[in-house]
Amino acid sequence: MPSIAIIDSDPNMARICETAFASRGHTLAFHAANCAEALEKLRASTKTPDMIVVSSDHGSEALKTIKSEHPSIIVKEVRGKNTK
């Protein structure tokens, strides 16, 4: 099954996502608190995830770089409900 990386500053949300993905047979490639950290992990790894799920509050130059350096990775930005 595909491996998935999660970019979210909330470790609890990352654990929830990991549990949901694992229940469907996916593996967690890594969790990063932000796009810059994810980019570092991608550059240091010999194996890239098949998909990256990133919370919408992490849009940045690093995310653009991830997309350009790893065009084969599916990047899905997830927007949360505004609770304000």
Side-chain angles (χ1 to χ4, degrees):
M1 286 299 263
S3 64
I4 300 173
I6 299 169
I7 303 173
D8 195 310
S9 57
D10 182 351
N12 291 325
M13 184 57 69
R15 279 191 289 278
I16 291 168
C17 291
E18 179 181 5
T19 301
F21 294 140
S23 72
R24 289 164 178 79
H26 301 286
T27 58
L28 180 69
F30 62 82
H31 165 247
N34 56 55
C35 292
E37 181 184 345
L39 185 57
E40 288 176 21
K41 289 182 177 191
L42 284 168
R43 288 178 173 164
S45 178
T46 58
K47 203 171 183 184
T48 58
D50 300 297
M51 174 186 266
I52 295 176
V53 176
V54 57
S55 62
S56 61
D57 59 332
H58 289 287
S60 68
E61 284 301 311
L63 183 57
K64 291 177 188 174
T65 303
I66 289 170
K67 290 176 180 180
S68 68
E69 288 184 11
H70 302 278
S72 65
I73 298 175
I74 298 167
V75 177
K76 178 65 179 166
E77 294 181 69
V78 179
R79 300 190 190 283
K81 288 185 177 182
N82 188 352
T83 58
K84 293 181 183 178

